[in-house]
């Protein structure tokens, strides 16, 4: 029997709709039920592509005995973090404060007043290695609430105070003059000179930091930062984190070599990496970087575009309950698809081992330089590359016969804004008209079907149903995409739409007291606090993207008010930037633009950016 999640649009929530757990979606019904029963809330937050979310569902949420404990002792609320980044941000801070780390699935226990008093991430179904299992944890929390509630309430109040303090701190000031140089020093200190990227395992792409390295190289007239970025982009494209058959990147690598990915593929990661490859191509003229950008865009068009024109959110890490099954190969499977002769070449090309490189199977990657592989095989490089183009097509065709990973096909305005921007920039650099057409179609679909009667945006849509108030990222990222579209085809309607959305953003999200922007609008539901995200994470900070938008609007329209707003916003987070320069990569990209230091890379002599700036004042005059 389906529970209360059966009528939701989120694929993640629908995955749990037949659990024996009496799930509620987040909303007044659940919160009122907790107050009425005087029970704590068990809040479970995850997303549909998350491997460990699936594991905890199979082990615990489908277990009748565990479900019985949850149903008797708690009001159980399931949240899709992609639909509710506000809740995720608030309660992730609580988990990080309690445990020193975060992740998904996120498991948090709240008082009926929504104050978190205990939490963590994944919990196993039984006690293991001295770690409390989920059933034991549920009993412990129940007994705490029943016999020592005052302790739980105090803990909740203390955590709530800490969360509010973090969101309400004063951060104003001026950017240090040497901040850009210090950010380069910090990135260089974390840089991996062998495998590229930053730090050790697990290793994330950090697209913003790579783009910032490119700008550091241009503004200082040095090759070093550019080569760091180029090496990182090379290694990622050679690694297993990149899908060598279908294009597109997985979310991160579990090792420092980029070999074994966490197999989920997110729209936002790929949308952020496309500009990094394009900009590196413009600076270094590496055909391989243009090819990766093209193949990533082609993956978005082939796999992620919805019938309505928007872009789906993600592809699952798991297939048939096994992580990565869709993507990995045995040597025998390659021989079956290609025949023994071409199979021998392909196994050498893609680093395939008889013993495997991932749980007995092989993630395809490119660990050796092409010429070295050709020499070892005794074949000239041009012939080998031609053979491998044929092999790639044949392997991809064979892979299509497998059960495909699940797709989260909800459309998020924020992530679509990033995809629109990436595709528009790819058109500017690569000249592929289909990218501009896809970006334009997505933008028109969102503007037509994800607007409220008063012009405000909805955050998410699926199956013809759009809902939830949009967040700062939705407005900022979509405005960015619209401005990139304008720089691509000079259609004045994109500027008009961007100006309208910018005005809504200004009216509803500005922090009048401290400067900058809140994550949620002023008419959003009242939560534990009104979050305000100041630094980049997996996504660029919406505040930083909006600074870039304001600077571009100032360039296009000649209205200095936009530049003044951008400067005021930067000052509101200057103290954080000065203390943690690599936490604000988007803001530093903005500073480069504002100061004219490697502001952007002109895509091609055929794309007259000056024309865009000349046309815009007429558009604004007509709009006014």
């Amino acid at each position: 029997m389906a529970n209360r999640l059966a009528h939701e649009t989120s694929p993640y929530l629908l995955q749990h709709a037949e659990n024996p757990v009496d799930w509620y979606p987040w909303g007044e019904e659940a919160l009122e039920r907790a107050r009425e029963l005087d029970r704590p809330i068990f809040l479970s937050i995850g997303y549909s592509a998350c491997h460990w979310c699936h594991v905890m569902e199979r082990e615990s949420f489908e277990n009748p005995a565990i479900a019985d404990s949850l149903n008797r002792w708690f009001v159980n609320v399931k949240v899709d973090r992609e639909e509710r980044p506000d809740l995720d941000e608030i309660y992730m801070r609580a988990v990080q404060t309690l445990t020193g780390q975060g992740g998904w699935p996120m498991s948090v226990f709240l008082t009926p007043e929504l104050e978190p008093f205990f939490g963590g991430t994944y919990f196993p179904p039984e006690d293991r290695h001295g770690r409390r299992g989920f059933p034991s944890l549920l009993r412990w929390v129940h007994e705490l609430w029943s016999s020592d509630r005052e302790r739980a309430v105090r803990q909740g109040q203390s955590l709530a105070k800490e969360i509010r303090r973090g969101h309400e701190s004063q951060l104003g000031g001026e950017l240090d003059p040497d901040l850009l140089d210090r950010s380069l020093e910090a990135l260089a200190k974390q840089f991996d000179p062998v495998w590229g990227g930053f730090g050790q395992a697990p290793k994330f792409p950090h697209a913003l930091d790579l783009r910032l390295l490119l700008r550091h190289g241009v503004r200082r007239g040095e090759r070093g930062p550019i080569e760091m970025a180029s090496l990182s982009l090379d290694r990622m494209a050679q690694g297993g984190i990149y899908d060598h058959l279908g294009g597109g990147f997985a979310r991160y690598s579990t090792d420092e070599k980029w070999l074994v990915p966490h197999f989920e593929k997110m729209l936002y990661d790929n949308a952020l990496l496309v500009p990094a490859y394009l900009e590196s191509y413009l600076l270094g003229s590496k055909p391989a970087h243009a090819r990766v950008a093209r193949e990533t865009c082609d993956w978005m068009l082939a796999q992620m575009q919805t019938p309505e024109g928007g872009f789906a959110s993600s592809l699952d890490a798991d297939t048939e309950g096994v992580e990565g099954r869709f993507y990995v190969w045995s040597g025998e499977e390659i021989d079956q698809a290609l025949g023994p002769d071409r199979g021998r070449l392909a196994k050498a090309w893609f680093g395939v081992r008889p013993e495997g490189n991932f749980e007995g199977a092989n993630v395809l990657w490119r660990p050796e330089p092409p010429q070295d592989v050709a020499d070892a095989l005794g074949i000239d490089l041009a012939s080998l590359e031609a053979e491998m183009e044929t092999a790639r097509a044949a392997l991809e065709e064979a892979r299509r016969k497998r059960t495909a990973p699940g797709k989260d096909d909800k459309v998020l305005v924020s992530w679509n804004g990033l995809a629109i921007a990436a595709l528009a920039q790819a058109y500017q650099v690569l000249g592929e008209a289909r990218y501009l057409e896809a970006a334009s179609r997505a933008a028109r679909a969102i503007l037509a079907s994800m607007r409220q009667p008063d012009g405000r945006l909805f955050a998410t849509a699926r199956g013809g149903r759009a809902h939830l108030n949009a967040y700062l990222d939705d407005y900022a990222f979509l405005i960015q995409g619209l401005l990139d579209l304008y720089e691509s085809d000079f259609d004045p309607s994109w500027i008009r739409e961007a100006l309208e959305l910018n005005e809504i953003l200004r009216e509803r999200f500005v922090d009048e007291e401290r400067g900058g922007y809140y994550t949620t609008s002023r008419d959003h539901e009242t939560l534990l606090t009104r979050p305000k995200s100041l630094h980049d994470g997996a996504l660029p900070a919406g505040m930083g993207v909006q600074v870039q938008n304001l600077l571009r609007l100032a360039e296009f329209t000649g209205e200095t008010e936009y530049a003044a707003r951008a400067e005021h916003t930067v000052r509101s987070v200057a103290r954080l930037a000065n203390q943690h320069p690599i936490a604000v990569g988007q803001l530093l990209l903005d500073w480069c633009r504002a100061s004219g230091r490697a502001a952007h890379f002109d895509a091609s002599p055929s794309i007259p950016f000056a024309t865009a700036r000349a046309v815009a004042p007429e558009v604004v005059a007509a709009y006014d």
Side-chain angles (χ1 to χ4, degrees):
M1 182 179 296
N3 56 43
R4 292 174 180 81
L5 302 181
H7 302 294
E8 295 299 305
T9 62
S10 158
Y12 175 67
L13 299 186
L14 292 172
Q15 287 169 4
H16 294 77
E18 295 187 5
N19 294 165
V21 178
D22 185 17
W23 291 118
Y24 289 78
W26 181 276
E28 188 53 38
E29 182 185 3
L31 307 185
E32 178 58 34
R33 185 66 172 162
R35 292 189 289 266
E36 175 188 315
L37 297 177
D38 194 27
R39 288 184 187 173
I41 294 168
F42 170 60
L43 175 64
S44 177
I45 301 181
Y47 59 103
S48 70
C50 167
H51 169 70
W52 286 103
C53 298
H54 299 325
V55 172
M56 192 164 178
E57 180 189 14
R58 289 194 299 268
E59 293 178 340
S60 294
F61 302 145
E62 293 179 354
N63 183 308
I66 294 176
D68 181 64
S69 297
L70 283 166
N71 296 339
R72 283 189 291 117
W73 296 334
F74 305 95
V75 173
N76 305 295
V77 178
K78 177 63 76 173
V79 165
D80 182 341
R81 67 173 293 260
E82 296 167 357
E83 286 193 335
R84 294 302 303 262
D86 51 342
L87 296 172
D88 186 61
E89 182 179 343
I90 290 170
Y91 293 109
M92 181 62 76
R93 184 176 176 88
V95 169
Q96 290 171 334
T97 301
L98 282 166
T99 69
Q101 59 187 1
W104 301 276
M106 180 162 51
S107 307
V108 196
F109 297 89
L110 318 179
T111 69
E113 289 72 38
L114 309 186
E115 295 175 333
F117 63 90
F118 189 78
T121 54
Y122 162 79
F123 290 98
E126 67 274 327
D127 296 353
R128 292 178 185 168
H129 311 298
R131 181 179 180 184
R132 195 190 300 269
F134 196 50
S136 299
L137 174 69
L138 295 179
R139 181 170 295 280
W140 177 81
V141 173
H142 168 64
E143 291 174 353
L144 174 67
W145 186 256
S146 301
S147 61
D148 196 0
R149 183 176 306 189
E150 184 178 344
R151 177 184 166 198
V153 169
R154 282 200 311 270
Q155 173 84 323
Q157 291 172 342
S158 175
L159 276 172
K161 184 177 180 181
E162 177 67 23
I163 292 167
R164 293 187 184 102
R165 184 186 302 118
H167 287 133
E168 296 172 0
S169 56
Q170 294 280 358
L171 292 168
E174 298 287 342
L175 294 179
D176 292 343
D178 65 345
L179 180 58
L180 286 172
D181 289 332
R182 287 198 294 111
S183 76
L184 175 57
E185 292 170 5
L187 290 172
K189 184 178 294 186
Q190 295 190 12
F191 179 70
D192 180 346
V194 177
W195 294 101
F198 306 97
Q200 302 302 312
K203 191 176 281 186
F204 290 79
H206 289 286
L208 285 178
D209 291 333
L210 297 177
R211 294 177 64 196
L212 187 57
L213 281 176
L214 296 174
R215 280 161 177 74
H216 283 315
V218 172
R219 74 179 180 84
R220 290 168 60 120
E222 299 173 359
R223 290 296 306 173
I226 295 171
E227 289 169 0
M228 286 196 291
S230 182
L231 173 65
S232 301
L233 294 166
D234 284 342
R235 293 296 200 189
M236 285 191 293
Q238 293 158 1
I241 192 175
Y242 184 65
D243 184 349
H244 293 272
L245 303 183
F249 289 85
R251 194 163 73 93
Y252 66 87
S253 173
T254 61
D255 58 88
E256 77 281 1
K257 300 178 181 180
W258 308 105
L259 169 56
V260 178
H262 196 48
F263 289 91
E264 64 210 49
K265 293 168 80 170
M266 316 299 291
L267 178 65
Y268 67 80
D269 282 316
N270 289 279
L272 290 168
L273 281 165
V274 166
Y277 277 94
L278 292 172
E279 291 173 359
S280 180
Y281 168 66
L282 289 171
L283 277 178
S285 299
K286 277 192 173 183
H289 289 183
R291 175 183 58 78
V292 172
R294 182 179 285 107
E295 290 176 356
T296 304
C297 290
D298 289 345
W299 170 78
M300 285 196 282
L301 269 58
Q303 296 295 320
M304 305 304 284
Q305 198 163 32
T306 67
E308 297 78 17
F311 290 94
S313 296
S314 63
L315 296 181
D316 209 322
D318 295 5
T319 307
E320 300 171 327
V322 179
E323 184 179 15
R325 171 174 283 181
F326 180 75
Y327 298 101
V328 299
W329 296 81
S330 67
E332 292 77 11
E333 287 173 324
I334 289 177
D335 288 342
Q336 288 171 7
L338 302 178
D341 293 335
R342 185 170 287 150
R344 179 178 66 89
L345 303 179
K347 286 184 285 188
W349 185 258
F350 288 118
V352 172
R353 302 173 181 173
E355 71 277 13
N357 56 33
F358 170 68
E359 298 181 355
N362 286 275
V363 178
L364 302 185
W365 70 320
R366 299 280 311 284
E368 303 295 334
Q371 187 63 61
D372 290 358
V373 179
D375 291 344
L377 291 169
I379 185 173
D380 71 272
L381 180 57
S383 298
L384 179 59
E385 289 177 334
E387 286 280 353
M388 290 305 95
E389 284 304 307
T390 302
R392 284 180 63 203
L395 289 172
E396 187 177 10
E397 181 61 30
R399 196 174 72 173
R400 288 196 190 102
K401 298 174 184 177
R402 300 176 177 179
T403 300
K407 181 183 296 184
D408 186 327
D409 59 354
K410 69 176 179 292
V411 173
L412 298 169
V413 170
S414 57
W415 298 8
N416 271 254
L418 296 175
I420 291 165
L423 290 165
Q425 291 172 45
Y427 162 72
Q428 294 171 15
V429 177
L430 304 175
E432 298 278 2
R434 67 183 186 277
Y435 300 151
L436 178 59
E437 292 165 4
S440 301
R441 184 176 176 227
R444 292 194 174 95
I446 289 169
L447 292 169
S449 64
M450 298 185 70
R451 301 288 288 274
Q452 302 183 45
D454 61 0
R456 290 179 298 150
L457 292 168
F458 288 114
T460 182
R462 183 174 182 266
R465 178 185 165 197
H467 66 122
L468 298 179
N469 281 338
Y471 307 95
L472 171 63
D473 287 2
D474 296 303
Y475 286 93
F477 295 177
L478 182 56
I479 291 170
Q480 177 189 44
L482 295 172
L483 296 179
D484 282 319
L485 279 174
Y486 177 66
E487 284 193 328
S488 300
D489 65 7
F490 314 124
D491 181 341
S493 67
W494 303 129
I495 285 283
R496 294 191 189 100
E497 296 286 4
L499 288 167
E500 289 182 12
L501 294 175
N502 181 71
E503 189 60 21
I504 294 170
L505 189 157
R506 184 190 65 80
E507 291 176 352
R508 297 181 179 273
F509 290 85
V510 168
D511 180 349
E512 299 288 359
E513 181 181 354
R514 299 175 182 84
Y517 300 87
Y518 289 107
T519 299
T520 56
S521 61
R522 56 178 169 80
D523 55 349
H524 199 73
E525 70 176 288
T526 301
L527 300 173
L528 191 64
T529 187
R530 190 177 180 189
K532 190 177 184 184
S533 183
L534 306 176
H535 55 78
D536 303 321
L539 296 171
M543 196 180 306
V545 173
Q546 180 58 10
V547 168
Q548 179 193 92
N549 293 337
L550 291 168
L551 292 170
R552 295 174 77 185
L553 286 172
E555 292 174 3
F556 290 154
T557 66
E559 295 286 343
T560 58
E561 177 192 357
Y562 295 124
R565 287 186 205 164
E567 183 179 358
H568 183 62
T569 302
V570 170
R571 285 177 176 167
S572 74
V573 296
R575 189 182 305 171
L576 172 68
N578 292 334
Q579 292 172 351
H580 306 287
I582 60 174
V584 289
Q586 179 63 57
L587 189 72
L588 297 184
L589 292 176
D590 301 338
W591 192 13
C592 287
R593 173 180 286 275
S595 61
R597 292 182 280 190
H600 57 77
F601 304 113
D602 281 354
S604 162
S606 66
I607 305 296
F609 286 98
T611 302
R613 297 186 181 92
V615 172
E618 300 174 13
V619 175
V620 175
Y623 171 72
D624 290 341

